[in-house]
């Protein structure tokens, strides 16, 4: 579990604090939705047995808690930050972020940190990242329209 905390929470938030210094408003607006989406998706996946993550704790969902409040929200914040600063089309960045996050999970799958079940595979994993990144981007667009 120490590895999950270190790689899933501490390291991402080292980069997250840099981003916070660059754009406090972005972090404060994006983090709550990205944490919520991460918890919902992981609860769904664990409940239906689509994936498991080591170490397997009595409450299985706790094994990904550091990622739910660390890696995934920080990556989502960087996605929006790069959309604001980059000339690439936002959907291209959503695709790139989903692809990179999927690659990260594929490495975890390769080393046995993640296991899939009930027909889940890396293809579905990719879409499980596209969807929340897309929702976060559309949320960002809606906030901008409101002048927030």
């Amino acid at each position: 579990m120490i590895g999950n905390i270190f790689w899933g929470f501490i390291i991402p938030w080292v980069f997250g604090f840099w981003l916070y210094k660059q754009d406090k408003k972005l972090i404060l607006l994006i983090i709550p939705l990205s944490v919520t989406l991460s918890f919902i998706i992981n609860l769904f996946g664990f409940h239906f047995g689509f994936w498991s993550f080591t170490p397997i704790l009595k409450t299985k969902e706790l094994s990904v808690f550091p990622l739910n409040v660390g890696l995934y929200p920080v990556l989502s914040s960087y996605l929006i930050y790069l959309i604001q600063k980059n000339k690439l089309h936002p959907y291209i960045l959503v695709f790139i972020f989903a692809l990179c996050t999927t690659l990260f999970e594929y490495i975890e799958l390769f080393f046995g940190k993640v296991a899939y079940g009930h027909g889940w595979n890396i293809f579905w994993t990719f879409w499980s990242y596209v969807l929340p990144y897309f929702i976060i981007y559309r949320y960002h667009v809606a906030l901008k329209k409101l002048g927030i």
Side-chain angles (χ1 to χ4, degrees), residues 4 6 23 26 45 80 96 99 104-105 109 114-115 133 138:
N4 294 5
F6 183 75
D23 193 340
L26 178 132
I80 299 304
I96 291 169
L99 198 60
F104 174 74
E105 185 162 320
L109 183 66
V114 176
Y133 285 143
R138 296 307 305 167

Side-chain angles (χ1 to χ4, degrees), residues 138-148:
R138 296 307 305 167
Y139 174 72
H140 168 70
V141 169
L143 290 175
K144 284 182 74 173
K145 286 182 181 179
L146 293 172
I148 299 174

Side-chain angles (χ1 to χ4, degrees), residues 1 4-5 35 38-69 72:
M1 189 66 187
N4 294 5
I5 294 168
V35 167
S38 184
F39 270 102
I40 289 169
I41 290 167
N42 277 317
L43 283 171
F44 172 84
F46 279 108
H47 177 75
F48 289 105
F50 289 132
W51 58 78
S52 62
F53 196 80
T54 60
I56 298 173
L57 305 173
K58 185 174 180 179
T59 304
K60 296 177 199 171
E61 296 83 3
L62 285 178
S63 61
V64 293
F65 182 82
L67 285 86
N68 286 342
V69 296
Y72 302 135

